Amino acid sequence: MSSHLSADHPAAQPPGPGSVEALISQARRLRGDVDAVRRDSQGDGTDPHGRWQRALYDLALHQLSDLDAHLAQLRDGPAPAPRPGSLLSRVGSAEWNLLTDEAEWSGELFQILGRDPAALPLSLDEFPSLVLTEDRPKLTAMVTDCLVDGRPIDGEFRVVRPDGTVRTVHMMGEPVLDADGSTASMWAVLRDVSALRRSQRAVSETRDSFRHRPRAADTGQRPAAGPRKAVPPPWHGLLRFPDRGRPGLDLAAGYLPAEAGPSRISVWYDACPLTGDETLLSVGELPCAEGDPAQGPAMVIGALRGLATAGVRPAGLPDRLARSLRSTALPPVRGAVYCGYRPDSRTVTCAHADGPAPLLFRDGTGHAPAWQAETTLEAGDLLLVHSGGLVPAERRRLLALAPRLSKTSSARDVLRIVSEGTGRSLRREDACVLVARVTRK
């Protein structure tokens, strides 16, 4: 296949080695200066402002490191593998010939997409099979505009790698015309920007939490004695829980600190899309590790959201999550519960190999059912998913609260009653509770 560079599109001459070396030196000096300022101004990082500063410094340092790597690539030419941990990774390229239906991919593109370099590159018609279903219309529109109207491509979409991980890819390209002015092929450059987007979201979310007055859980302080209330967990400033609910569900969740002293575990809860309107509800525990107590749960939740986006079912999540976390410094999760809810059929599937089974409240009665492979719920049912920090005596108290819970009108009211009705003095570890109220729609 001929190169996309033609007589009508002469290649720009690269700068001389000296100028590139000078840019590399400037980038490295700037990174050193930023790192020095970060060390001088680093606080304890436990308050929202400190987390926002840390996230912004980390993002700047990552981008400067990648600028250094990309300039080195200009100087040294192609290399076989990207730098581990890079936010932008190396740039891959592709060209699709519309006349012969042939495709050419660079080695870097095979690595970005997680495909075997010995395999044949996918044609332009086959390429969308790698893209998440909801992102395919966006890719189709970009390619159509490029081939039909001659518009350059500049957009992002998510791809699913063979191992089930989801990556965000930024694609830029343009059509290549033949002598008659017809589109003969399309070329593009692609790069993995997943980690970059995560860093940018961390900056945005920690900035948002800084703009709000921090509460006791945000500062890592234990609430004062008094009526028991569920509060946001320490990681709440990094990853938000969908307080507005999900299709067919009214949701509320809270963090219940233990009586006193530092807890040996961190707890997490989340609700996120699984497939279509389906929702994944999850809770669990993570043994405490050194460093920021918010970081571990946030990484676990991020990994779960990625697996859910890739369509991994609740039964497969324990094994897939364990494999995803093996490459990190985090300890294995424990006491985890995963529930997938379909609003169209009001059915729920639960996986809780080492976690407590969810409680079900219906018509003023509480149940601790033996969950089947798939269970049908009714409008008005309350599903209470909790971590192992609630001891059996507290579970019995919750079941006894069924008459009161049946009179509530929202999941938030249920959470308030549950948090006030549990016995804090019985609890030796932190706990979390997630309430899902089945709505009529």
Side-chain angles (χ1 to χ4, degrees):
M1 185 184 301
S2 61
S3 168
H4 65 266
L5 296 175
S6 65
D8 295 330
H9 297 81
Q13 295 300 313
S19 59
V20 175
E21 286 289 357
L23 292 174
I24 291 174
S25 297
Q26 292 174 24
R28 290 177 179 174
R29 283 197 300 271
L30 180 57
R31 188 188 187 284
D33 292 342
V34 172
D35 193 28
V37 173
R38 179 186 65 166
R39 290 196 303 269
D40 291 342
S41 60
Q42 191 81 28
D44 60 13
T46 59
D47 65 300
H49 182 263
R51 290 197 297 267
W52 171 75
Q53 279 190 324
R54 183 179 57 219
L56 201 55
Y57 275 126
D58 288 345
L59 176 61
L61 288 171
H62 278 309
Q63 290 178 317
L64 288 170
S65 296
D66 281 293
L67 175 62
D68 181 12
H70 288 165
L71 290 172
Q73 185 180 0
L74 278 176
R75 178 193 62 194
D76 302 333
R83 176 176 62 80
S86 168
L87 282 181
L88 299 181
S89 184
R90 298 188 68 85
V91 176
S93 61
E95 184 170 357
W96 288 278
N97 190 310
L98 305 181
L99 304 179
T100 64
D101 204 29
E102 293 178 335
E104 285 186 3
W105 288 6
S106 68
E108 289 85 359
L109 183 55
F110 280 97
Q111 292 167 0
I112 290 172
L113 300 177
R115 298 182 64 83
D116 183 357
L120 291 175
L122 299 185
S123 68
L124 198 54
D125 290 333
E126 297 169 327
F127 186 74
S129 65
L130 305 180
V131 180
L132 280 180
T133 303
E134 53 264 42
D135 287 0
R136 289 178 188 174
K138 182 193 305 183
L139 175 63
T140 299
M142 290 192 298
V143 171
T144 300
D145 289 344
C146 178
L147 299 181
V148 177
D149 299 329
R151 298 178 185 175
I153 291 176
D154 187 355
E156 294 182 5
F157 49 86
R158 292 165 294 172
V159 298
V160 183
R161 293 161 58 111
D163 61 1
T165 58
V166 177
R167 311 296 294 178
T168 301
V169 174
H170 184 202
M171 181 176 182
M172 299 182 68
E174 64 181 42
V176 180
L177 307 180
D178 59 17
D180 298 329
S182 302
T183 303
S185 63
M186 188 187 85
W187 71 271
V189 292
L190 301 93
R191 62 182 184 180
D192 184 344
V193 295
S194 306
L196 175 63
R197 295 296 174 253
R198 284 195 297 271
S199 291
Q200 290 172 332
R201 284 196 297 270
V203 171
S204 175
E205 290 169 351
T206 52
R207 181 186 61 229
D208 291 343
S209 66
F210 168 60
R211 288 174 176 172
H212 295 82
R213 183 178 179 179
R215 288 177 282 188
D218 293 326
T219 59
Q221 300 173 359
R222 299 278 175 182
R228 192 71 200 92
K229 293 184 179 181
V231 296
W235 48 262
H236 191 258
L238 299 176
L239 291 170
R240 296 291 188 184
F241 181 77
D243 295 319
R244 296 183 179 178
R246 287 281 303 153
L249 293 175
D250 175 23
L251 298 174
Y255 162 61
L256 303 175
E259 172 64 19
S263 178
R264 296 171 296 175
I265 64 169
S266 298
V267 291
W268 47 268
Y269 58 78
D270 193 37
C272 69
L274 191 53
T275 54
D277 284 343
E278 190 174 1
T279 297
L280 173 66
L281 308 173
S282 62
V283 302
E285 302 171 348
L286 190 68
C288 285
E290 294 182 2
D292 186 350
Q295 217 168 32
M299 289 179 64
V300 170
I301 293 171
L304 276 174
R305 290 181 179 181
L307 293 171
T309 302
V312 179
R313 308 300 306 165
L317 283 171
D319 180 62
R320 293 293 294 274
L321 180 61
R323 280 189 281 161
S324 298
L325 297 181
R326 281 177 194 149
S327 60
T328 73
L330 294 179
V333 300
R334 71 185 195 193
V337 184
Y338 309 100
C339 298
Y341 178 74
R342 291 190 178 95
D344 53 349
S345 58
R346 290 191 183 133
T347 54
V348 62
T349 57
C350 293
H352 51 92
D354 62 345
L359 302 179
L360 176 63
F361 297 84
R362 175 182 295 171
D363 297 331
T365 305
H367 309 269
W371 293 94
Q372 306 299 317
E374 189 172 86
T375 303
T376 301
L377 303 181
E378 299 176 2
D381 281 356
L382 296 174
L383 187 65
L384 197 152
V385 189
H386 65 85
S387 65
L390 293 186
V391 297
E394 290 180 302
R395 283 173 60 92
R396 290 193 292 272
R397 285 188 182 186
L398 292 179
L399 293 174
L401 290 172
R404 287 184 62 194
L405 299 182
S406 64
K407 298 177 182 179
T408 60
S409 59
S410 70
R412 192 172 296 277
D413 289 340
V414 173
L415 178 63
R416 176 182 53 80
I417 295 172
V418 167
S419 60
E420 293 176 353
T422 55
R424 184 177 180 185
S425 61
L426 300 175
R427 194 180 314 122
R428 296 181 180 178
E429 299 286 1
D430 291 354
C432 64
V433 175
L434 191 160
V435 178
R437 182 172 175 269
V438 180
T439 61
R440 297 188 179 278
K441 293 183 179 180

